[in-house]
Amino acid sequence: MSVGLMPAANPPVFDPLECASRSHEVQRLAWRIKACVDQADAVLASLRRAQMEHWLSPAGRAYRTTLAVHASALMRARESLDSAVARVLRHSQNVSVSGERGP
């Protein structure tokens, strides 16, 4: 059985105040994501400090290698989050613009 998309009985009415509120909510999401970027930066700084320990034993080298692998993965995640902040902020502007066009 196939389910198709049915058009809405009544098209949405765009209220400028409601769109401004939506834009604000999307901007708040962007700033929450930015807070995650800041937290990732703090963790990366801690990992760098931990890697600076001069343990010459094989276990110390293995520890530093493991930290480096995790730091690399965290850096990639941080970059994705940072990129998401920009995209979400752009979307918040589009929410406002789409509301100004009307139905």
Side-chain angles (χ1 to χ4, degrees):
M1 180 168 121
S2 173
V3 177
L5 292 177
M6 303 272 302
N10 296 319
V13 176
F14 292 101
D15 177 10
L17 293 176
E18 185 178 334
C19 289
S21 174
R22 286 182 189 153
S23 176
H24 176 71
E25 290 298 318
V26 175
Q27 288 174 3
R28 286 182 53 201
L29 173 62
W31 293 118
R32 288 197 324 253
I33 297 169
K34 178 64 175 137
C36 292
V37 171
D38 294 342
Q39 289 175 348
D41 285 340
V43 171
L44 285 167
S46 294
L47 287 174
R48 283 187 206 104
R49 283 191 301 274
Q51 282 180 298
M52 297 300 284
E53 300 294 326
H54 297 289
W55 296 340
L56 301 178
S57 69
R61 285 192 299 275
Y63 175 74
R64 284 194 306 277
T65 299
T66 300
L67 285 180
V69 169
H70 288 292
S72 178
L74 182 57
M75 181 54 87
R76 286 190 302 274
R78 183 229 175 268
E79 290 168 355
S80 293
L81 285 168
D82 202 34
S83 176
V85 170
R87 288 191 305 263
V88 170
L89 284 174
R90 266 195 314 274
H91 178 67
S92 75
Q93 293 168 349
N94 291 339
V95 168
S96 294
V97 170
S98 69
E100 292 172 4
R101 291 185 191 143

